[in-house]
Amino acid sequence: MSTVGDTFKESPELSPEEARLPERVQELEGLIRIISMRPEITFQVGAPHSPWYFEFNKAVVNAPINDLLDRSMDYCRGLALHEAAHATVTRIFDMLRTDLFSRREIHSLFNVIEDCRIETWMLNRSPGCAPWVRLYNDRLFAGILHGPPLQSHAAQFNMSILSKWWFGEYPSTLAPQVWDALKRAMPSIERAIGAQPPSFAVESEMIRRAYEGNRTLRFSYMRQDLFDPPSYFEMLIRIRQLQMVHIVLNEILPIFLELFE
């Protein structure tokens, strides 16, 4: 069930924005369930200025109350769909050791490529959401393209991936080492972003054979599959995620780590 909070139930005088909050929550919850193809997902109103996020263990999308009250509904729809896409497409944390993310820059590398990947999937699944996505990406990414240069070469590399994916161009203030690394890594980055499942559920015996023939996937999901066998579509989601992980680990990460030398 959606969580709106008790504050508004107790106050007899609500602003117009507060009065609309339950209706907004209901719409956003329905939207994420449709796009994610996961009817069990719920939507919760989070603390002011908390992040938008999808909690995988509980299948909950969190949204900060200040955005729900102050931002346009289209802005909130776009971010809700971003989290819905994570719910459907992202399985990266099932496949990687947590110690790999002990370095913040490496965690950021995986995150930015995954964000580009899941939003590309989302736009393919629901092309009509493009104006909603533009509302928040133009706001969040504008500083990358036109702002002052970032000091860290790793940060320049990661933010340039987002800039190239969204605006079609790199920031103009990159260090020469970062330019060189991006030129060498970009073909692999584009392949990693393109490692997506289809935008609709599919069934095929070929998917099952490919899934069961992959030792990494069998090991990662051995216990889970025993008690909750995956659908064909879920198998394909995991296969595509593993392709993305393989490309990042073997082709992109070695180039990225050169920036630390």
Side-chain angles (χ1 to χ4, degrees):
M1 181 177 293
S2 307
T3 304
V4 178
D6 296 328
T7 303
F8 303 105
K9 298 177 184 177
E10 298 172 356
S11 175
E13 297 181 2
L14 303 178
S15 69
E17 292 78 14
E18 291 169 344
R20 288 196 297 268
L21 185 60
E23 180 181 345
R24 286 189 165 199
V25 169
Q26 184 178 18
E27 179 188 330
L28 293 172
E29 185 172 76
L31 191 61
I32 61 177
R33 288 174 174 176
I34 291 171
I35 296 301
S36 68
M37 296 175 276
R38 293 184 57 180
E40 79 279 11
I41 291 179
T42 57
F43 188 94
Q44 73 179 14
V45 179
H49 306 290
S50 60
W52 286 80
Y53 64 83
F54 176 67
E55 190 170 354
F56 285 88
N57 292 335
K58 297 182 180 179
V60 173
V61 170
N62 180 85
I65 189 170
N66 54 292
D67 275 2
L68 296 172
L69 293 177
D70 302 334
R71 295 284 178 187
S72 72
M73 193 57 179
D74 282 351
Y75 179 91
C76 294
R77 289 183 183 110
L79 283 169
L81 291 190
H82 176 95
E83 302 308 330
H86 273 305
T88 299
V89 178
T90 298
R91 302 292 182 270
I92 193 169
F93 301 109
D94 297 339
M95 302 176 184
L96 292 173
R97 304 188 317 273
T98 55
D99 63 319
L100 183 66
F101 294 135
S102 59
R103 295 177 70 168
R104 183 167 51 88
E105 297 88 349
I106 295 177
H107 196 171
S108 178
L109 173 68
F110 276 94
N111 276 347
V112 297
I113 295 175
E114 182 67 1
D115 276 354
C116 296
R117 192 178 80 98
I118 64 107
E119 286 205 355
T120 301
W121 178 87
M122 181 177 74
L123 289 164
N124 289 333
R125 170 145 176 78
S126 182
C129 74
W132 306 343
V133 178
R134 190 173 301 115
L135 278 175
Y136 67 82
N137 274 350
D138 282 352
R139 173 177 172 266
L140 295 174
F141 298 162
I144 299 174
L145 192 60
H146 303 297
L150 298 168
Q151 291 186 345
S152 163
H153 289 175
Q156 289 184 29
F157 185 95
N158 288 335
M159 294 303 99
S160 293
I161 295 173
L162 291 173
S163 179
K164 179 65 174 175
W165 172 77
W166 184 246
F167 296 114
E169 57 183 302
Y170 297 115
S172 59
T173 54
L174 295 178
Q177 302 96 314
V178 179
W179 274 111
D180 177 70
L182 285 167
K183 284 189 294 184
R184 290 186 289 133
M186 190 51 64
S188 296
I189 292 170
E190 291 175 348
R191 287 176 47 241
I193 293 172
Q196 304 165 24
S199 56
F200 51 89
V202 296
E203 293 187 7
S204 171
E205 186 64 16
M206 292 179 62
I207 298 173
R208 184 187 63 79
R209 290 198 294 267
Y211 181 82
E212 293 180 351
N214 188 290
R215 294 178 59 188
T216 300
L217 291 174
R218 288 207 318 272
F219 179 79
S220 298
Y221 292 98
M222 183 182 303
R223 180 179 294 273
Q224 183 175 333
D225 289 356
L226 181 63
F227 297 101
D228 184 20
S231 66
Y232 288 113
F233 188 46
E234 176 63 24
M235 291 178 190
L236 188 52
I237 288 168
R238 296 172 185 178
I239 290 170
R240 293 301 193 196
Q241 180 76 89
L242 184 61
Q243 290 175 337
M244 175 269 195
V245 167
H246 180 85
I247 294 169
V248 175
L249 287 178
N250 292 282
E251 301 179 24
I252 303 169
L253 187 58
I255 297 173
F256 179 72
L257 291 177
E258 292 176 10
L259 297 173
F260 295 91
E261 295 179 358

